Amino acid sequence: MSDKRIIKVNDREIEVPSNLTLLQACEAAGEEIPRFCYHERLSVAGNCRMCLIEVKGGPPKPTASCAQNVRDLRPGPDGQPPELFTNTPMVKKAREGVMEFLLINHPLDCPICDQGGECDLQDQAMAYGRDGSRYAENKRAVEEKHMGPLIKTVMTRCIQCTRCVRFATEIAGVDDLGLVNRGENAEITTYLEKAVLSELTGNLIDVCPVGALTSKPYAFNARPWELRKTQSIDVMDAVGSNIRIDARGREVLRILPVLHEQVNEEWIADKTRFVWDGLKRQRLDRPYLRKDGKLQPVSWEEAFGAAAEKLKNTRGEKVAALVGDLAPSEAVKALKDLMGAIGAPHLDCRQDGAKIGANNGNNDRRSYLFNTGIANLEHADAILLVGTHPRKEAPMVNARIRKAWLADLDINIGLIGEKPELTYDYDYLGAGPATLETLAKGEGEFFQTLKLAKRPAIIIGAGALSRSDGAAVLHAAAKLADAVGAVSADWNGFNVLHNAASRVGALDLGFLPGEGGKDFAGIVAGCGAREIDVVYNLGADEFDTKQLNGAFVIYQGSHGDAGARHADVIFPGAAYTEQSAIYINTEGRAQMANRASFPPGQAREDWAIIRALSDYIGHRLPYDDLFALRRAMIADAPSLGRIDQIGGDDGGFDVSAVGTEAAMNEAGFVCPIADYYLTNPIARASQTMAECSAMVAGVNTIAAE
């Protein structure tokens, strides 16, 4: 059978692949087909019947176009192409009947429904429905369901399209939703009033075509036409999900996904979607200076003056700088240039202590990238997870692995480290380096699995790299990748999975210890030993900041979190929604984040603060605007200029030279994320994230009992 077939849609001939559904074929011909239950990324249910069309030569009744393929069509009696019609009187009457049926029990909630203005049912009732209803009976009512702190339910509005059930089961990999009863009594429910426990819960709101499932934190806050919409990039993890930030005035009111097939498809994780309320809590909106042991608000001039005086009176070798997980690349470049101007060699962007980068083995940036690419995970036929919990560290990467597993149940997935609850089956190989070393020596059953695979992928997480022997672990994983042929001319299966949005950009810019410089652990130890007198902390909050107390600490960030509590000078910076910036995700893809609102009070963009400070110190940085800064930044790291591209690294990649060959300790790998919902200052300021954390902690406590 040919891969393509010629069909006629509304008397217009078109050639389409034979595996398309009739709905897809009609849309390829430019015809709009209404639907409720059909979704491109979910299995076909065929239960709303809104997509009815007429098939010439078929049964004398409308056909559900989502449930029949082009290959199932019969040609005409003389071999003519099959004919489809989307605008005949039969189709019009059928769609009006279906819409009337769907609205029998639907309440008249449009004026108070959060889905109003972006509701599929509203739009299609206007386009394809009748101008009245023949049903005068009382409408049925359905009890609301408990789905946790994120999803608000009004189940009387539900039309039983089952999109939410299919998403939860197929994409999220949880079985918390289902349809019970039959006929008029059918309803979608969570079993035993159980919350939906997934990191992708918020996508249920997007797939629901009516107002049955809406955002609980966003409820009654705004109408969609009131909001200013800005496309940007998420920084809650290193995946770089594409998002749309909806703001009104200075306030961000919601965050939605933007389609990007290579990164996040059309989904986003819950922390990405619901963290927005943390953007307006615990904000730093003015400079502070510690006087008589207490932080007191001061003017920018006074704050700059105090910081500049300390930096000018301190020798360069006694100054250090740290970069946090959310810092934009522009600020990293500016801070690196400032530290270079005053001769400070102690720089580090790896506050978790990860042993990656130019001073830990191979200088090739592919030694610290997710080289396979997030989308290409779907083509892997064997995957080894080393010291990573992708469901916590990168939910969208975890969803890709599940997608690959669903597409090919014969795919082999192995795991070394803690034994987490993932959304796919895997072989648990061991807890730590001993297992990895065994595989690297060419021993073990899973070594043969990787060796025989055509496209093996090895994924190393922060749990393996942020140990004291992280460089040795990285080398063992690289040695294994070399032994099984994971790196070839057309496939690179060596992957480092980061969990910090700023990490790859900072590594590309070389924000690492210079000659004779200390790394993160050395800087912390140096503060305690009085070897370092000044620390410039650019948003690093994920460690015990009390350890810096031996030095004068300049903290720059958006929230009053751990770093601010132990600072001597505080510069209020902008959050990721409040400045235009470039971030590079874990696979090395540079993406542009755009400003959706302005920072509060006297807070300013991160790079502008550092540029202004340089004037006070007497080492003026050679750029006065963002364009000039980006030109200098791209000259340092060309990867930052390749927007939305990966690759670009010429020459062969010697994976066997990655890391440092040394002995590894016996301790097992431990996931660096204790609580998925509270991993950064913005998340910790979010009331919604606190509720999610408390819910999961309560569920885990009950399970333990």
Side-chain angles (χ1 to χ4, degrees):
M1 183 187 296
S2 171
D3 288 335
K4 292 197 172 185
R5 288 191 64 180
I6 295 175
I7 61 171
K8 292 179 77 174
V9 178
N10 294 343
D11 297 323
R12 189 159 72 88
E13 213 168 83
I14 183 174
E15 186 179 43
V16 295
S18 60
N19 61 347
L20 292 189
T21 62
L22 303 189
L23 186 152
Q24 292 171 317
C26 290
E27 292 198 329
E31 301 295 335
E32 181 181 308
I33 305 295
R35 85 291 296 271
F36 292 114
C37 69
Y38 177 80
H39 191 284
E40 289 81 356
R41 302 187 194 278
L42 304 176
S43 60
V44 174
N47 55 5
C48 79
R49 319 309 282 183
M50 194 64 205
C51 63
L52 296 173
I53 63 171
E54 183 178 345
V55 179
K56 184 176 181 180
K61 62 178 183 178
T63 298
S65 61
C66 71
Q68 186 172 344
N69 281 26
V70 170
R71 68 165 64 95
D72 300 325
L73 295 173
R74 293 181 299 178
D78 298 321
Q80 306 98 317
E83 293 192 55
L84 312 178
F85 297 96
T86 68
N87 52 11
T88 61
M90 177 202 285
V91 172
K92 184 175 185 297
K93 184 177 180 182
R95 289 176 180 171
E96 287 177 353
V98 169
M99 180 58 70
E100 190 176 13
F101 180 73
L102 288 173
L103 293 175
I104 289 174
N105 284 313
H106 196 78
L108 300 175
D109 279 351
C110 297
I112 59 158
C113 177
D114 269 329
Q115 200 83 353
E118 46 193 9
C119 174
D120 291 352
L121 190 62
Q122 276 184 341
D123 296 342
Q124 293 182 40
M126 288 292 294
Y128 303 102
R130 292 165 54 94
D131 60 355
S133 174
R134 292 171 288 179
Y135 291 89
E137 289 80 9
N138 290 331
K139 295 176 183 286
R140 77 163 187 168
V142 181
E143 283 188 9
E144 310 311 347
K145 305 297 185 291
H146 170 65
M147 291 193 184
L150 304 178
I151 308 294
K152 177 189 173 189
T153 63
V154 184
M155 299 311 291
T156 303
R157 302 172 187 160
C158 179
I159 60 171
Q160 284 83 45
C161 70
T162 69
R163 276 190 185 181
C164 56
V165 177
R166 285 175 284 144
F167 174 85
T169 305
E170 297 166 14
I171 309 293
V174 295
D175 54 4
D176 295 337
L177 280 178
L179 187 142
V180 297
N181 304 326
R182 299 184 69 182
E184 190 182 21
N185 296 319
E187 55 184 273
I188 305 290
T189 181
T190 56
Y191 302 111
L192 304 175
E193 291 295 305
K194 177 179 179 289
V196 181
L197 291 176
S198 169
E199 297 75 33
L200 305 177
T201 309
N203 296 291
L204 297 174
I205 299 165
D206 293 337
V207 299
C208 182
V210 296
L213 305 178
T214 55
S215 170
K216 190 175 282 188
Y218 173 70
F220 308 126
N221 272 353
R223 287 297 196 184
W225 54 83
E226 301 173 23
L227 303 175
R228 184 178 63 256
K229 302 165 181 64
T230 307
Q231 189 165 329
S232 192
I233 301 300
D234 171 54
V235 300
M236 293 297 110
D237 54 31
V239 171
S241 298
N242 285 233
I243 56 175
R244 193 187 86 193
I245 302 168
D246 288 0
R248 184 173 57 192
R250 284 177 175 263
E251 189 177 3
V252 173
L253 290 179
R254 67 174 179 180
I255 295 174
L256 299 175
V258 168
L259 175 67
H260 195 303
E261 293 288 357
Q262 301 301 309
V263 181
N264 58 304
E265 296 184 296
E266 61 189 84
W267 319 120
I268 52 173
D270 287 348
K271 188 163 52 176
T272 301
R273 184 187 298 267
F274 294 107
V275 79
W276 52 265
D277 67 320
L279 292 166
K280 58 185 177 184
R281 293 190 173 93
Q282 300 179 18
R283 289 302 303 268
L284 297 172
D285 60 356
R286 67 190 70 182
Y288 288 85
L289 178 62
R290 191 174 296 277
K291 297 179 180 179
D292 301 323
K294 291 185 178 180
L295 285 169
Q296 298 180 17
V298 295
S299 66
W300 273 109
E301 288 75 13
E302 191 173 351
F304 278 141
E309 183 181 1
K310 195 71 180 177
L311 286 168
K312 284 193 291 187
N313 295 329
T314 305
R315 297 199 314 274
E317 60 268 21
K318 285 185 169 287
V319 178
L322 301 173
V323 162
D325 293 349
L326 309 183
S329 300
E330 290 83 352
V332 175
K333 164 65 175 169
L335 183 57
K336 183 190 176 192
D337 287 353
L338 182 63
M339 292 296 109
I342 62 178
H346 315 298
L347 314 177
D348 209 342
C349 61
R350 306 161 299 183
Q351 62 173 323
D352 58 358
K355 304 299 185 289
I356 48 177
N359 57 352
N360 281 287
N362 198 323
N363 292 338
D364 194 314
R365 71 190 293 257
R366 286 170 286 189
S367 67
Y368 54 79
L369 292 184
F370 198 93
N371 295 292
T372 298
I374 295 169
N376 281 340
L377 278 178
E378 296 177 25
H379 305 301
D381 49 4
I383 299 173
L384 175 64
L385 305 173
V386 181
T388 182
H389 187 334
R391 192 171 171 182
K392 282 186 178 181
E393 295 176 48
M396 300 318 305
V397 171
N398 191 67
R400 289 281 188 170
I401 298 175
R402 175 173 172 79
K403 187 176 180 182
W405 175 76
L406 280 178
D408 179 9
L409 293 178
D410 292 329
I411 187 174
N412 293 285
I413 302 174
L415 185 143
I416 302 174
E418 291 182 310
K419 198 172 184 179
E421 184 179 341
L422 299 177
T423 56
Y424 38 82
D425 295 336
Y426 62 87
D427 298 322
Y428 183 67
L429 306 177
T435 307
L436 179 60
E437 196 167 24
T438 299
L439 292 176
K441 290 177 180 176
E443 302 170 7
E445 185 178 337
F446 204 81
F447 174 84
Q448 296 301 324
T449 299
L450 292 170
K451 184 77 173 173
L452 294 173
K454 293 180 180 177
R455 294 176 298 278
I458 298 171
I459 302 175
I460 308 104
L465 300 176
S466 56
R467 302 153 42 108
S468 59
D469 61 348
V473 174
L474 185 66
H475 181 75
K479 187 177 172 184
L480 172 61
D482 189 45
V484 300
V487 179
S488 62
D490 55 355
W491 178 263
N492 190 336
F494 179 76
N495 303 291
V496 174
L497 180 60
H498 297 279
N499 51 31
S502 66
R503 185 67 52 82
V504 175
L507 290 172
D508 282 356
L509 285 166
F511 201 93
L512 295 165
E515 188 175 346
K518 301 178 185 293
D519 63 5
F520 174 78
I523 292 169
V524 170
C527 291
R530 298 294 195 271
E531 295 172 358
I532 290 180
D533 292 340
V534 181
V535 175
Y536 199 115
N537 182 352
L538 181 59
D541 296 274
E542 310 309 317
F543 68 102
D544 183 4
T545 52
K546 282 183 184 177
Q547 296 174 305
L548 302 180
N549 280 353
F552 183 88
V553 178
I554 303 166
Y555 177 80
Q556 180 177 326
S558 60
H559 284 68
D561 205 74
R565 282 196 292 273
H566 299 283
D568 296 286
V569 176
I570 295 176
F571 296 146
Y576 72 104
T577 59
E578 298 160 358
Q579 55 187 327
S580 178
I582 294 174
Y583 289 91
I584 300 189
N585 75 349
T586 189
E587 59 182 350
R589 183 188 303 271
Q591 299 185 101
M592 186 80 72
N594 296 307
R595 182 173 63 196
S597 61
F598 288 92
Q602 299 177 43
R604 295 293 180 265
E605 294 185 10
D606 286 325
W607 77 269
I609 294 172
I610 299 168
R611 166 65 183 79
L613 177 62
S614 71
D615 272 343
Y616 281 80
I617 297 174
H619 293 284
R620 183 171 185 168
L621 295 178
Y623 27 78
D624 296 322
D625 56 47
L626 197 56
F627 179 73
L629 170 57
R630 283 180 175 160
R631 283 178 60 186
M633 184 174 71
I634 292 168
D636 273 8
S639 57
L640 285 154
R642 296 195 289 263
I643 300 298
D644 203 29
Q645 298 176 39
I646 56 176
D649 300 294
D650 299 325
F653 174 42
D654 185 5
V655 68
S656 63
V658 174
T660 306
E661 188 165 7
M664 297 180 283
N665 66 51
E666 297 179 0
F669 301 133
V670 178
C671 176
I673 297 178
D675 191 330
Y676 164 73
Y677 295 102
L678 305 175
T679 56
N680 61 61
I682 302 174
R684 287 190 287 273
S686 165
Q687 187 176 335
T688 304
M689 293 296 99
E691 290 174 6
C692 291
S693 176
M695 177 195 71
V696 172
V699 169
N700 291 341
T701 301
I702 293 171
E705 292 174 352

